[in-house]
Amino acid sequence: MKIITACKLAAVALFTLMIGQTMAADAPFEGRKKCSSCHKAQAKSWRDTAHAKAMDSLKPNARKEAKIKAGLDPEKDYTKDKDCVGCHVDGYGKKGGYTIESPKKMLAAVGCESCHGPGRFYRGDHRKAGQAFEKSGKSTPRKVPAGKGQDFHFEERCSACHLNYEGSPWKGAKPPYTPFTPEVDAKYTFNFDEMVKDVKAMHEHYKLDGVYEGEPKFKYHDEFQASAKEAKKDDKK
């Protein structure tokens, strides 16, 4: 009887493991470690940005003055507040995204997938495109990764957090609203065209021109690439 019970328990454990692995394989959000394995220079630059420290700002006594000004309790731990966490992590409320119940370090913060879209379905094509360009100078149609979820515009993704307040000029605003509004402090006035060029908020741009061709193209792609840095040898793939 004990042997049979042990076998049943083992079978259940194996089934649970297989289900877990299948769900993980299907999860579109993978976490920034996957992106960083190739885009090392961008990842290194991103670590010094405000987006990288987004979850830290929700911790007790972090940004006390700003929280008091916005009517929040500066001593409260907001890292488990469902009305706040969504704008400080990758993929909250979406399949494979960050959860309060089972938080994943590589999804905690406003990382690659918050702007560029969940990476599982286009990451492989992205890698192949880079390899093809390095090997023979061959460009890949940008519509290939775009068709699998890579966002080449991402303005709406930014607006969903920075402009999500009552009275916002953004038509998509809906509860739960952010308490950090221009009425609280003018510094919360959000202008995408200005902020997307701020490397302290985003990350440095590095030479990628030629890897992809055609539309959809980010509206500042050519401008960014014109002055983009060459990644150091240690920071390349």
Side-chain angles (χ1 to χ4, degrees):
M1 181 63 72
K2 288 183 179 180
I3 294 176
I4 294 175
T5 301
C7 289
K8 287 182 178 178
L9 288 172
V12 170
L14 179 60
F15 178 74
T16 302
L17 177 62
M18 291 174 65
I19 290 295
Q21 290 176 335
T22 300
M23 290 178 66
D26 290 338
F29 285 89
E30 298 186 302
R32 58 185 176 271
K33 188 175 183 179
K34 296 285 188 179
C35 307
S36 301
S37 64
C38 283
H39 296 291
K40 296 178 181 178
Q42 289 89 338
K44 187 176 180 180
S45 172
W46 171 85
R47 291 188 197 109
D48 293 326
T49 67
H51 279 156
K53 303 174 180 64
M55 276 297 277
D56 291 340
S57 67
L58 297 181
K59 295 178 180 179
N61 297 311
R63 297 188 61 193
K64 289 182 68 173
E65 291 185 12
K67 287 176 181 175
I68 291 172
K69 202 170 183 179
L72 300 176
D73 180 357
E75 296 183 4
K76 179 180 175 180
D77 181 4
Y78 288 97
T79 63
K80 295 178 176 59
D81 190 318
K82 62 182 179 62
D83 289 341
C84 298
V85 169
C87 283
H88 295 255
V89 298
D90 290 339
Y92 183 72
K94 299 175 182 177
K95 187 176 181 180
Y98 184 93
T99 66
I100 293 174
E101 297 75 21
S102 299
K104 295 180 181 179
K105 182 180 179 180
M106 289 300 154
L107 293 172
V110 180
C112 315
E113 294 174 297
S114 284
C115 295
H116 300 290
R120 173 167 176 74
F121 302 121
Y122 66 77
R123 186 171 58 83
D125 293 294
H126 205 41
R127 182 185 293 274
K128 290 176 184 176
Q131 292 172 338
F133 185 73
E134 287 185 354
K135 183 178 180 180
S136 61
K138 180 182 179 181
S139 296
T140 298
R142 205 169 271 110
K143 64 182 180 181
V144 172
K148 296 184 179 180
Q150 183 172 354
D151 192 342
F152 285 94
H153 298 298
F154 56 84
E155 185 168 350
E156 285 293 293
R157 295 179 185 274
C158 300
S159 298
C161 285
H162 291 287
L163 290 176
N164 194 48
Y165 55 85
E166 290 187 87
S168 170
W170 182 56
K171 294 181 180 180
K174 61 182 180 180
Y177 298 114
T178 176
F180 298 100
T181 72
E183 288 189 359
V184 171
D185 195 309
K187 69 181 180 180
Y188 300 125
T189 300
F190 182 73
N191 183 307
F192 175 81
D193 294 323
E194 292 179 2
M195 292 304 295
V196 77
K197 298 178 183 181
D198 185 351
V199 296
K200 292 182 180 179
M202 308 299 283
H203 58 71
E204 289 278 5
H205 297 280
Y206 295 88
K207 290 293 183 184
L208 296 170
D209 209 22
V211 177
Y212 287 108
E213 63 182 2
E215 297 294 337
K217 183 191 288 189
F218 179 57
K219 62 181 178 179
Y220 292 119
H221 173 86
D222 293 338
E223 179 182 332
F224 287 170
Q225 285 300 303
S227 59
K229 299 178 178 180
E230 285 283 354
K232 294 180 181 179
K233 188 175 182 179
D234 291 344
D235 289 334
K236 290 185 178 181
K237 296 179 183 179

